Amino acid sequence: MNYLREHPLLRPRGSRVLLLGNEAIARGALEAGMCFATAYPGTPSTEIVEVLSEVARECSVYAEWSVNEKVAFEAAYSAAIAGVRSLTAMKHVGLNVAADILMSSAYAGVEEGFVVVTADDPSAHSSQNEQDNRWYGLLAHLPVLEPSSAREAYKLVKEAFNLSTRYKIPVIFRSTTRISHTRMPVELEDDVPLNKKCKGTFTRDYERWVLVPVHTRRRKPELIKTWKALSEEERFVTAHNPGKEKVIVSSGLAHSYVREVLEALNMLDRVTLVKVNMPVPLPRKPLLSVLEHAKEILVVEELDPVVEMQLKDLVVTSGYRVAVRGKDLVPENYELTPEAVYRAVAKFIGVEEKVPWEGLEPVKLDPPIPPRPPVLCTGCPHRSTYYALKVAANRAGIRDVIYTGDIGCYTLGYQKPFETQMTCFEMGGSIGVAHGLAKVTNSALIAVIGDSTFFHAGIPPALNVVYNNSSVLVLVLDNISTAMTGHQPHPGTGVTAMSEPTTRIMPETVLSALGFKVYTVYPLDVKKAIEDFTKALEDYKRGEKVAIVSRMRCALEVLRDARRRGVVLPIYTVLEEKCTGCMACVKLTACPAIIVEPGSKKPRIERALCAGCGLCAAICPYKAIVIANKPSEDWVKVWTSL
Ligand SMILES: Cc1ncc(C[n+]2csc(CCOP(=O)(O)OP(=O)(O)O)c2C)c(N)n1
């Protein structure tokens, strides 16, 4: 193979490379002979397939951004039932979307290794909840492997493939934000293999693949047999310093914290320290031998008491008299911190008062960094859309509006001055929620959804609006990108994860096929956009089924593109002599480039921040905001064309 030596994923065996946890997972998967990878982006899982797509061609593997997690799961699972090693990756909530096939896949099993990476997000840094996906293992009777560091993730993912192949069952691989997004040096144990199985054969085994009730009932005992055999696995539990009366059992990142705390306390040898890399099903044998000597056990794990519960069950059923503690000492919410683990461990071993914690104190900055709540970027097309939409709703005389919302950059529209997102539950939810509210209230319903989100989960509820006849206006915010997760392509961009050109599917085509009268609006021209929105809203008011696609490229991509192509974009400035200090530009846009210095009565535009969208200039009633530079002739094209 012609190694792209600079790419960390393609470095030869023996190299020491600095890998992000997600890159470590990707490299481990490649070494394991994985040939087929799918995902729908979602923090903190995104980089796994992102880096795989960068090297896919060189490694002769296939990588795709699927339209959602269910489809991603189906595709990768199918490769594995045909005998090709595969991986699918998603954020924790993505597994909810794929849960239907996840449950069935346990019954039918696989022919080759299939790893389902779920990247959980304790503390919900970038998610709508902080669910602990290890429960899915218990629910589906599937094993869950969990690394305690980025480096371990690299090794463990290879074990996950082998485990899956050995038991012919999907394996859930649970990472968390801190594992996925930590960089660690990793010694590469193997090369990426040249010869791997990338073509498979599908065996027409009706009893196995066709889960009609009669077949399902036959498969269930098989699944339970595998489940029991898995719980006898020994390799995923390691005990340091066995035989002590006090035992700390930990899983995932929590293990690294426990170790760090014990080292800091100089008490590593006072307890038996048990690391669990397979929290589900909890391996019985190695834990039974721990129970033999233990008097008191502390379980340290992030989020829910998944290991603790199973361990308590083991204690009860095995008849040992051991006290198991866990969530009475360890927080059940949010990410664990070394400090929180210190408090639990110190209390457990009874040193709380004696040894002060001298671990990682957070760096104190002076002066402290001011809090920066997330805001729409300067030039963000969603800002222009929201402004034009609200003006148009007023013009059309639609005052009582419920704006149902969805997940993406545009969710920030819940804030003032727009308040055009009044709900946000899950991807695609805007349209389904609007449908229900339209049926039970007298308000106008505008469902606001991003383009990637529309393709992900917006099409069935839009169909439902038409079929079950509710008065919902669907507004697709098309910035021609999946911006929130890092600008991945989607069906509306005309390009695949492996940078191949493909059919570009326009949301307009889909919406009109579903039965909507579709308007396309370009909010870069604010005045025209207000007119077009008004027309569409008037149609909606008359009872027509209306959808609007508001199209303007993501400002970050526009700025990048303009720089690359040498196109000069406009930069705006406030003319002091014309400005009356009415603050309309500040209040109606909330643009971070418009600044009011302390003590000043007039705003100014920070040159370095202005993206040149022109919304403020369009809003200013005194024409006091003007272009300050000489933009290229064709600058508008960068905003509107791909
Ligand atoms: C089930 C699920 N999968 C993935 C995500 C992560 N995620 C949040 S928003 C989003 C897509 C946003 O793209 P788009 O709808 O185009 O809006 P934009 O951010 O570009 O404005 C994704 C993938 C999620 N929250 N839930």
Side-chain angles (χ1 to χ4, degrees):
M1 184 194 296
N2 178 19
Y3 274 112
L4 288 176
R5 285 187 174 262
E6 348 43 272
H7 200 295
L9 240 62
L10 295 177
R11 299 284 288 279
R13 177 164 58 124
S15 311
R16 191 174 147 87
V17 280
L18 192 63
L19 293 182
L20 196 67
N22 280 342
E23 293 171 342
I25 293 170
R27 168 72 191 212
L30 286 175
E31 285 183 23
M34 185 276 307
C35 208
F36 193 98
T38 63
Y40 181 73
T43 312
S45 70
T46 311
E47 297 82 2
I48 300 170
V49 163
E50 198 140 72
V51 283
L52 283 171
S53 70
E54 284 165 20
V55 301
R57 235 183 297 275
E58 282 76 15
C59 302
S60 313
V61 306
Y62 174 78
E64 84 170 29
W65 292 123
S66 311
V67 297
N68 65 30
E69 293 85 356
K70 171 174 144 61
V71 175
F73 193 113
E74 288 161 350
Y77 175 62
S78 312
I81 71 173
V84 174
R85 279 200 165 187
S86 63
L87 171 147
T88 187
M90 55 202 70
K91 67 182 287 161
H92 58 331
V93 288
L95 202 53
N96 302 338
V97 178
D100 208 352
I101 176 140
L102 170 85
M103 299 302 293
S104 303
S105 71
Y107 283 65
V110 293
E111 278 300 289
E112 247 306 342
F114 173 48
V115 173
V116 181
V117 181
T118 165
D120 292 4
D121 188 16
S123 281
H125 291 290
S126 44
S127 309
Q128 63 269 41
N129 74 33
E130 58 165 11
Q131 71 192 45
D132 186 332
N133 272 2
R134 293 174 303 168
W135 292 116
Y136 270 116
L138 292 165
L139 185 65
H141 294 100
L142 288 175
V144 180
L145 297 192
E146 184 176 29
S148 65
S149 69
R151 188 180 299 128
E152 199 174 76
Y154 158 72
K155 290 170 188 271
L156 197 65
V157 77
K158 297 193 265 187
E159 299 250 23
F161 277 103
N162 292 337
L163 190 73
S164 172
T165 306
R166 202 160 358 111
Y167 287 91
K168 296 202 162 199
I169 199 155
V171 170
I172 299 172
F173 190 89
R174 186 217 193 194
S175 178
T176 53
T177 306
R178 294 285 149 183
I179 303 277
S180 284
H181 285 172
T182 299
R183 276 184 198 280
M184 277 183 113
V186 175
E187 314 273 349
L188 299 178
E189 298 171 330
D190 285 302
D191 282 323
V192 175
L194 290 174
N195 300 319
K196 51 190 173 298
K197 199 171 164 219
C198 293
K199 279 279 167 218
T201 333
F202 176 70
T203 313
R204 291 159 180 76
D205 183 345
Y206 298 92
E207 290 207 4
R208 187 164 173 205
W209 309 126
V210 186
L211 289 177
V212 291
V214 62
H215 298 161
T216 298
R217 284 194 287 270
R218 258 179 238 152
R219 298 292 307 172
K220 182 70 193 291
E222 291 297 314
L223 175 58
I224 298 300
K225 213 163 104 191
T226 307
W227 178 249
K228 295 235 161 91
L230 280 162
S231 71
E232 296 305 323
E233 275 283 336
E234 290 185 52
R235 65 170 64 208
F236 299 111
V237 173
T238 39
H240 167 84
N241 203 22
K244 300 282 176 189
E245 290 187 350
K246 280 205 186 260
V247 178
I248 301 181
V249 174
S250 54
S251 132
L253 181 68
H255 176 77
S256 299
Y257 288 165
V258 170
R259 241 198 130 81
E260 185 181 338
V261 161
L262 287 171
E263 274 166 12
L265 290 170
N266 208 10
M267 299 236 165
L268 201 50
D269 289 336
R270 286 268 289 274
V271 296
T272 296
L273 180 57
V274 179
K275 180 175 66 161
V276 176
N277 283 124
M278 184 162 84
V280 175
L282 191 65
R284 290 167 48 84
K285 224 170 168 180
L287 283 156
L288 279 173
S289 65
V290 169
L291 290 179
E292 231 173 83
H293 305 279
K295 284 245 158 28
E296 206 182 357
I297 299 181
L298 172 68
V299 182
V300 187
E301 58 193 319
E302 216 160 23
L303 293 185
D304 297 342
V306 174
V307 170
E308 181 185 336
M309 213 182 62
Q310 295 176 84
L311 189 61
K312 282 177 174 165
D313 175 58
L314 191 63
V315 169
V316 171
T317 52
S318 63
Y320 283 109
R321 291 180 65 81
V322 183
V324 179
R325 310 194 60 183
K327 291 301 166 190
D328 57 327
L329 292 178
V330 182
E332 204 158 354
N333 299 318
Y334 318 139
E335 278 191 310
L336 285 182
T337 58
E339 289 78 7
V341 172
Y342 167 76
R343 279 192 292 275
V345 168
K347 202 171 241 169
F348 177 68
I349 52 181
V351 295
E352 198 176 13
E353 301 305 320
K354 293 174 207 148
V355 189
W357 166 242
E358 287 171 358
L360 292 174
E361 283 293 332
V363 180
K364 294 214 170 55
L365 292 166
D366 191 24
I369 297 174
R372 288 197 182 90
V375 289
L376 294 171
C377 303
T378 58
C380 175
H382 303 327
R383 176 180 289 107
S384 301
T385 296
Y386 285 152
Y387 171 75
L389 173 66
K390 290 209 83 169
V391 174
N394 250 332
R395 280 201 190 161
I398 304 177
R399 299 263 145 67
D400 173 17
V401 189
I402 303 174
Y403 294 93
T404 56
D406 227 298
I407 306 192
C409 296
Y410 53 94
T411 315
L412 293 168
Y414 80 88
Q415 296 167 328
K416 283 187 188 312
F418 306 114
E419 296 172 316
T420 42
Q421 297 272 292
M422 297 174 179
T423 61
C424 170
F425 302 116
E426 42 40 288
M427 286 191 72
S430 56
I431 303 175
V433 169
H435 174 73
L437 289 173
K439 289 282 185 190
V440 301
T441 69
N442 293 323
S443 304
L445 258 304
I446 300 183
V448 184
I449 186 166
D451 46 351
S452 187
T453 307
F454 174 70
F455 289 116
H456 175 285
I459 298 172
L463 180 59
N464 194 52
V465 162
V466 178
Y467 170 54
N468 282 312
N469 193 22
S470 60
S471 179
V472 171
L473 186 147
V474 174
L475 170 59
V476 179
L477 302 186
D478 189 0
N479 56 2
I480 322 177
S481 187
T482 316
M484 190 171 192
T485 45
H487 301 110
Q488 292 77 20
H490 62 59
T493 62
V495 68
T496 68
M498 289 166 74
S499 306
E500 280 154 354
T502 183
T503 309
R504 184 176 174 197
I505 298 130
M506 306 300 279
E508 289 95 321
T509 320
V510 178
L511 286 160
S512 96
L514 296 180
F516 288 93
K517 177 172 180 182
V518 188
Y519 281 84
T520 307
V521 174
Y522 297 94
L524 183 67
D525 183 342
V526 186
K527 234 174 112 190
K528 174 85 171 49
I530 294 172
E531 283 165 21
D532 292 344
F533 270 127
T534 309
K535 271 189 222 141
L537 287 164
E538 278 164 354
D539 276 355
Y540 166 72
K541 221 173 137 184
R542 276 193 290 274
E544 291 197 52
K545 290 270 169 295
V546 175
I548 306 171
V549 178
S550 182
R551 181 165 296 120
M552 176 171 159
R553 291 184 71 200
C554 170
L556 296 181
E557 299 221 279
V558 167
L559 291 171
R560 200 180 301 143
D561 241 27
R563 217 173 299 130
R564 201 179 299 139
R565 292 203 235 156
V567 173
V568 180
L569 297 170
I571 293 173
Y572 286 82
T573 191
V574 180
L575 299 175
E576 265 237 59
E577 62 281 12
K578 282 196 169 184
C579 176
T580 63
C582 73
M583 300 291 173
C585 56
V586 176
K587 290 183 194 150
L588 299 178
T589 70
C591 175
I594 308 177
I595 289 162
V596 185
E597 303 286 358
S600 171
K601 294 213 161 33
K602 291 180 184 179
R604 69 171 184 85
I605 293 172
E606 176 61 48
R607 230 186 135 86
L609 292 180
C610 178
C613 71
L615 177 64
C616 54
I619 285 176
C620 178
Y622 302 99
K623 307 264 172 285
I625 301 180
V626 295
I627 295 177
N629 61 344
K630 197 171 170 330
S632 306
E633 255 171 40
D634 56 348
W635 69 268
V636 172
K637 273 199 199 142
V638 194
W639 279 99
T640 50
S641 62
L642 261 181

